[in-house]
Amino acid sequence: AATLLITLFLGIEEGIGAGVTLSLILLIYRSTKPHYAILGRLPNTKDYRNVGRFSQLEVFPEILAFRYDAPLYFANSSHFSDALTAQKTAKGDALKLIIIHCGSISRIDATGYQTLQELVQDFHAEGVQVFFSGVIGPVRDFFAKVGFTEEVGAEKFFLDVDSAVSYFQSENADPSLQNSSATQANLKRKSKWLIIWKALKFDEKPL
């Protein structure tokens, strides 16, 4: 409507210019507060979905699975930090693990990386672990180049949310219920994901 009025009163060129400008402003504004979701497990499956859109999902009190549906960069890094921190606070003292699902994060710039790094450090200081799942190729490349993979630990990266949850639960099982076979299975699972991560080539197309 605004573009039409400008075109009528000022001319076609001015109307087109105003339309492009307004579109860019709207695009940037929307990117500053993108959609995010808290994930829960569909019963009897390994699939995780948005708890706001699916009913009867399994949510563990000690685990927060958080999905951010946009690239992480300077314009939305504060929103990412505020959203994740708010969800962490809402979980309360029972929280032991945050899983950041990165399947929709196509790129991260320097500001976004600094925000992420500071969050991970703060969470660790509070006794909360941070895992990553579904990290795509370009973001893996970036993490490797800046040393984030080494800083966090390659064993903290998983192909999907369920793998991260299973690993955490096996690591934190009641010692009285563990036996030697369970311990061996856990070691094999850990080795499996380390092998997969190391086998990924950082110059390939996105996963």
Side-chain angles (χ1 to χ4, degrees):
T3 302
L4 177 60
L5 290 175
I6 293 174
T7 301
L8 290 174
F9 288 100
L10 298 179
I12 296 176
E13 292 184 0
E14 289 77 5
I16 294 174
V20 171
T21 301
L22 289 173
S23 295
L24 288 174
I25 292 174
L26 183 59
L27 178 63
I28 293 173
Y29 174 76
R30 287 177 175 173
S31 72
T32 61
K33 296 183 178 181
H35 179 265
Y36 67 89
I38 307 306
L39 307 179
R41 185 169 65 188
L42 289 169
N44 303 314
T45 74
K46 296 182 179 181
D47 298 324
Y48 281 73
R49 294 292 184 269
N50 184 351
V51 298
R53 293 182 178 271
F54 290 80
S55 61
Q56 299 181 339
L57 295 179
E58 297 176 349
V59 178
F60 304 102
E62 73 278 14
I63 298 174
L64 170 63
F66 180 86
R67 188 189 74 206
Y68 200 67
D69 294 336
L72 182 58
Y73 73 120
F74 71 92
N76 63 20
S77 59
S78 294
H79 176 258
F80 174 84
S81 177
D82 292 345
L84 183 53
T85 301
Q87 294 300 324
K88 170 189 171 296
T89 301
K91 293 289 285 189
D93 296 335
L95 182 64
K96 301 299 180 184
L97 171 68
I98 294 174
I99 301 171
I100 302 176
H101 184 65
C102 303
S104 298
I105 300 178
S106 59
R107 65 182 178 85
I108 299 178
D109 73 358
T111 303
Y113 168 63
Q114 182 178 7
T115 299
L116 180 62
Q117 185 181 41
E118 290 175 352
L119 283 171
V120 171
Q121 292 172 351
D122 291 344
F123 294 156
H124 282 173
E126 297 174 11
V128 178
Q129 297 187 64
V130 180
F131 290 176
F132 296 85
S133 67
V135 183
I136 68 172
V139 178
R140 289 201 312 269
D141 294 345
F142 178 78
F143 283 164
K145 289 177 181 178
V146 298
F148 188 65
T149 304
E150 182 177 359
E151 177 183 338
V152 173
E155 70 278 7
K156 303 294 179 63
F157 290 81
F158 300 84
L159 295 182
D160 53 49
V161 175
D162 186 70
S163 299
V165 171
S166 296
Y167 176 75
F168 173 79
Q169 290 177 334
S170 66
E171 285 282 291
N172 293 273
D174 187 343
S176 65
L177 301 178
Q178 292 182 338
N179 53 40
S180 59
S181 61
T183 302
Q184 289 298 321
N186 177 47
L187 291 173
K188 288 180 180 179
R189 186 181 296 108
K190 182 176 182 180
S191 298
K192 170 187 174 184
W193 292 113
L194 281 172
I195 291 171
I196 290 176
W197 180 264
K198 292 178 180 178
L200 293 171
K201 296 181 179 180
F202 293 105
D203 57 352
E204 289 184 344
K205 295 180 180 180
L207 177 65

